[in-house]
């Protein structure tokens, strides 16, 4: 089994090969953006949520993926609040 940083880098490469735009959040996920050749990496969930709120347009598709410790659902709740 590959160590996680290498697996993250490979995941980013895989996404880029399929023309998927990558946004990563947190120090553990930085390798994903690096592998994708993306400069869209954010150290905090709040910064990522702010950027996504400004950049997303109607019809965009977003896949959120994160470990439980990453608590990526907090980004989702900021972007798509449910009242």
């Amino acid at each position: 089994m590959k160590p996680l940083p290498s697996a993250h880098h490979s995941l980013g490469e895989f996404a880029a090969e399929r023309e998927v735009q990558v946004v990563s959040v947190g120090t553990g996920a930085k390798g994903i953006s690096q592998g994708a050749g993306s400069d869209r990496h954010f150290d905090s969930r709040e910064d990522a949520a702010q950027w996504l709120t400004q950049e997303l347009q109607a019809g965009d598709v977003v896949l959120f993926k994160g470990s439980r410790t990453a608590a990526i659902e907090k980004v989702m709740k900021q972007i798509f609040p449910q009242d």
Side-chain angles (χ1 to χ4, degrees), residues 4-83:
L4 282 178
S6 179
H8 281 163
H9 194 273
S10 295
L11 177 60
E13 289 175 338
F14 181 85
E17 289 167 0
R18 284 148 184 84
E19 298 182 12
V20 173
Q21 294 184 17
V22 172
V23 177
S24 62
V25 182
T27 54
K30 191 169 188 171
I32 300 170
S33 286
Q34 290 172 335
S38 170
D39 61 355
R40 291 182 216 94
H41 173 78
F42 300 93
D43 291 327
S44 75
R45 291 183 295 267
E46 295 77 18
D47 289 344
Q50 181 180 13
W51 185 86
L52 287 164
T53 299
Q54 293 172 356
E55 297 296 322
L56 289 178
Q57 298 178 13
D60 286 350
V61 176
V62 181
L63 168 67
F64 290 94
K65 191 279 179 216
S67 66
R68 287 301 314 131
T69 57
I72 204 71
E73 72 275 5
K74 291 181 179 182
V75 174
M76 293 169 56
K77 288 178 182 180
Q78 282 185 276
I79 299 169
F80 307 112
Q82 295 183 355
D83 295 326

